[in-house]
Amino acid sequence: MPSRLDRITRQRLEKLEELRARGINPYPPRFHRSHTTEQAIALLKQTEAGLTEDNEVSVAGRIMAKRPMGKVSFLDLHDNSGKIQLYCHRDLLSKDDLTLLKDIDIGDIIGISGKPFQTKSGEPTIEVKSLTLLAKSLQPLPEKWHGLSDVDTRYRQRYLDLIANPETKSIFQGRSQIITAIRQFLDQRGFIEVETPVLQPSAGGATAQPFVTHHHALDRDLYLRIALELHLKRLIVGGLDKVYELGRIFRNEGLSTKHNPEFTMLESYEAYADYNDVMNMLEEMVYQISQQVLGTDKVEFGEHTISFKPPWPRLELRQAVTEYSGIDFAQYPEADLLRAKMEAIGLEVDPQKNWARLVDELLATFVEPELIQPTFLLDYPVSMSPLAKTKPGRERVVERFEAFAGGMEIANAFTELNDPVEQRKRFMEQQKEHRAEEDEIEETIDEDFLLALEYGMPPTGGLGVGIDRLVMLLTGQTSIRQVILFPQLKEKP
RNA sequence: GGGCCGUUAGCUCAGUUGGCAGAGCACCUGACUUUUAAUCAGGGUGUCGCAGGUUCGAGACCUGCACGGCCUACCA
């Protein structure tokens, strides 16, 4: 028994053969359009204002609705710029075009030429003089006024989501504008954009599980990068004083509404800057982007309104954790002590976690969800931050900040550690701790990075921004999958 | 990984106490010269996510699995 879909598709395939039999190519190589639908409407307004006379246009796009009325047919044609109504009158079309019109289905891509006018009800319309089939559609489109709402299908067949839901299109247009605005902001400040390897012999610059792959010719395992950091700092050593990379990074960890295994990170490094300079730059950058892309510094996010207007509140991490969790981690300087205190207030704590990860858990559990308005938390324990420089006079604290908004971490930055001996020590401590935790992937120390530091890296301020999360905030989306065109999904059986 | 919820036509969704598988859109046939969620008349296309079980009888009840959503865990 054929399914309904098979039947519709079969009917359209038959139509396709009929078209070919009449000498019509259902997939012609080109069509030259003179106007987008938006431009055609603008032209119509000019004509009506008496500013121009000759107003024949040709437009092209997808047919999204068909309203046949005997001698007359109305069609809605959508293109990237918008939509316009087509008016097809039997007496104005050739015999061939009339036959073709009958064969046009919703979903087909066509090109037409004709004259724009306004109907009685004021709808911008083109009186069609000729039409051309540009691509026959063999599949029925999602329903016209509920759109496509099945989340699974929206992600798996994103093109249908884009056709059926205008909101989806505007999210990704927004994403593109945000990334353009970031580039403009950094370029104007004298940064240069660089590209560094995705395939690396060891994945460093963050603590996360990497993806492993294998290079056949070299017969060696390589890792997909988990951060951009170590290569960009090599470039600071090399004298590229202001660099940034907007790049995809990969972390072999769980999926959630805030996590996709591959995501886009902005990292920037500026020689002779420190984390205070970076803080100023970040709040100015996000503010300018929101002004440029949204025309405002305020966005609706879930049930909150977030304002990006600088300056953002700056709060010491210790103070914030104490305030929100009631635990002053500085009073519990050993993992066992802190774990006991956390268990005492009813937290379930993984006994594998070291002290730094326990502090991180306090931060994630009590503080992060509360930070709706943009906020900087500063001065992290050194054991949480192996790549950051210690704060003068405070051995256990580094010059590091994380920026939060909408209850999510959106940026991480520090005054970069440039002492090669100290850096080696920190790497080795980290390695020891991870061995104690029996991590699956053995951490290898990036010797080449340490060698680079030994040649001398100037004092530097570094920044990492999760672009997908920034896009979530600026477009008001609460799931990361809504801002990634093709998010990672399990395979459908 | 754990908990809760969901999966019925191409799409959006109903489906009562376990008793013939439904609607709208889309599609097909016809009418209609400014419609716009066009309207009117007619047509019905399904592995009820998958596999078992209970029952005279399962879309519905039970078990397992798959996929998705939300929460949670890891993380950015």
Side-chain angles (χ1 to χ4, degrees):
Chain A
M1 200 76 114
S3 74
R4 203 178 277 195
L5 179 61
D6 289 339
R7 189 180 51 85
I8 293 170
T9 303
R10 196 184 61 238
Q11 284 165 348
R12 294 212 181 172
L13 280 169
E14 281 165 12
K15 220 179 249 186
L16 202 64
E17 288 318 305
E18 282 168 32
L19 287 164
R20 286 208 162 98
R22 294 209 304 271
I24 293 169
N25 177 0
Y27 301 100
R30 61 188 60 83
F31 178 83
H32 297 291
R33 57 177 175 175
S34 65
H35 293 71
T36 64
T37 58
E38 192 180 33
Q39 289 165 341
I41 291 167
L43 181 71
L44 173 62
K45 282 186 181 137
Q46 283 194 325
T47 312
E48 291 191 329
L51 297 170
T52 170
E53 281 194 1
D54 180 30
N55 62 353
E56 187 108 343
V57 298
S58 46
V59 300
R62 190 184 296 275
I63 295 304
M64 293 298 286
K66 213 181 162 185
R67 294 180 291 279
M69 296 193 45
K71 281 188 170 178
V72 165
S73 275
F74 292 93
L75 290 78
D76 289 343
L77 181 141
H78 288 227
D79 68 7
N80 192 45
S81 71
K83 66 165 182 174
I84 197 160
Q85 177 170 259
L86 306 181
Y87 170 83
C88 301
H89 193 290
R90 187 181 290 177
D91 299 344
L92 297 171
L93 290 174
S94 71
K95 224 176 193 167
D96 286 350
D97 279 357
L98 264 178
T99 319
L100 176 60
L101 179 63
K102 280 185 73 178
D103 284 339
I104 297 291
D105 291 304
I106 290 173
D108 288 355
I109 312 281
I110 72 167
I112 62 100
S113 60
K115 229 178 137 148
F117 73 103
Q118 266 193 13
T119 61
K120 278 192 270 189
S121 54
E123 176 84 13
T125 304
I126 298 174
E127 186 182 88
V128 175
K129 292 197 165 69
S130 71
L131 62 155
T132 313
L133 179 61
L134 301 179
K136 187 76 196 146
S137 169
L138 303 179
Q139 297 282 348
L141 285 181
E143 201 235 15
K144 65 183 165 193
W145 60 83
H146 295 101
L148 179 66
S149 61
D150 182 78
V151 180
D152 196 27
T153 311
R154 289 179 61 189
Y155 296 153
R156 284 181 205 277
Q157 292 179 276
R158 184 66 93 176
Y159 46 89
L160 287 183
D161 191 21
L162 288 164
I163 291 169
N165 301 318
E167 165 75 2
T168 300
K169 195 192 235 180
S170 75
I171 290 169
F172 291 103
Q173 286 167 339
R175 180 175 176 128
S176 170
Q177 287 165 8
I178 288 163
I179 289 171
T180 299
I182 291 171
R183 286 206 164 94
Q184 285 172 358
F185 179 90
L186 291 168
D187 292 346
Q188 274 166 16
R189 292 190 168 219
F191 283 81
I192 65 162
E193 183 173 6
V194 298
E195 292 168 280
T196 63
V198 171
L199 296 173
Q200 306 183 344
S202 71
T207 53
Q209 291 290 322
F211 286 90
V212 190
T213 186
H214 189 81
H215 190 289
H216 295 309
L218 297 176
D219 189 24
R220 69 177 300 185
D221 283 345
L222 291 170
Y223 300 93
L224 303 190
R225 63 184 174 189
I226 56 170
L228 310 174
E229 174 141 4
L230 300 185
H231 281 91
L232 294 179
K233 286 202 276 204
R234 284 168 168 88
L235 299 178
I236 296 290
V237 171
L240 299 179
D241 279 353
K242 295 180 174 187
V243 293
Y244 72 95
E245 178 166 8
L246 270 161
R248 197 74 60 86
I249 68 179
F250 308 85
R251 296 189 177 179
N252 204 342
E253 283 158 2
L255 289 73
S256 81
T257 49
K258 296 185 175 67
H259 300 85
N260 195 63
E262 51 182 303
F263 62 103
T264 302
M265 182 88 117
L266 164 71
E267 287 194 28
S268 73
Y269 292 84
E270 181 176 2
Y272 311 109
D274 68 10
Y275 79 143
N276 290 304
D277 302 315
V278 176
M279 253 181 280
N280 295 337
M281 182 176 88
L282 178 65
E283 62 185 10
E284 185 59 31
M285 181 171 82
V286 175
Y287 175 70
Q288 280 193 24
I289 291 166
S290 72
Q291 288 289 359
Q292 189 173 332
V293 176
L294 309 172
T296 168
D297 60 285
K298 291 184 180 62
V299 298
E300 298 298 321
F301 190 73
E303 45 195 45
H304 304 283
T305 301
I306 297 177
S307 167
F308 294 108
K309 199 174 176 65
W312 302 351
R314 300 177 185 199
L315 201 60
E316 277 194 31
L317 174 71
R318 180 182 165 189
Q319 194 187 330
V321 170
T322 306
E323 191 174 312
Y324 287 101
S325 75
I327 297 178
D328 179 3
F329 56 75
Q331 289 182 15
Y332 308 92
E334 302 294 333
D336 291 343
L337 296 173
L338 186 56
R339 191 179 304 114
K341 177 65 186 171
M342 287 166 71
E343 280 165 354
I345 63 163
L347 284 178
E348 275 185 41
V349 187
D350 183 352
Q352 293 263 305
K353 280 188 179 173
N354 62 32
W355 187 83
R357 284 177 184 252
L358 291 175
V359 173
D360 201 47
E361 181 162 336
L362 285 174
L363 170 63
T365 307
F366 293 103
V367 186
E368 190 169 341
E370 302 297 325
L371 300 179
I372 305 300
Q373 297 303 321
T375 307
F376 290 117
L377 294 188
L378 15 153
D379 298 347
Y380 281 60
V382 61
S383 54
M384 294 175 77
S385 322
L387 296 158
K389 182 174 275 192
T390 48
K391 207 167 165 142
R394 295 180 62 184
E395 234 173 64
R396 293 185 61 116
V397 172
V398 293
E399 294 194 352
R400 171 184 176 188
F401 74 81
E402 290 186 308
F404 297 85
M408 296 184 291
E409 182 194 334
I410 56 166
N412 178 24
F414 23 90
T415 305
E416 302 294 334
L417 178 58
N418 61 347
D419 174 343
V421 177
E422 170 74 10
Q423 183 68 79
R424 179 179 294 277
K425 218 175 89 192
R426 299 258 200 106
F427 277 158
M428 289 178 75
E429 278 163 14
Q430 199 187 14
Q431 197 177 42
K432 214 166 75 189
E433 292 216 344
H434 287 170
R435 272 191 192 143
E437 287 177 17
E438 292 167 5
D439 274 8
E440 284 166 37
I441 306 254
E442 176 79 11
E443 215 151 327
T444 55
I445 289 178
D446 189 337
E447 286 294 339
D448 185 68
F449 170 66
L450 289 172
L451 179 61
L453 285 191
E454 286 172 12
Y455 283 93
M457 183 174 89
T460 297
L463 169 69
V465 181
I467 294 301
D468 309 274
R469 290 184 177 177
L470 186 62
V471 174
M472 284 168 70
L473 282 172
L474 290 170
T475 58
Q477 299 302 312
T478 50
S479 166
I480 199 167
R481 289 182 163 185
Q482 282 158 342
V483 302
I484 292 175
L485 278 167
F486 300 100
Q488 195 62 46
L489 299 171
K490 287 192 194 172
E491 206 170 332
K492 201 89 174 176

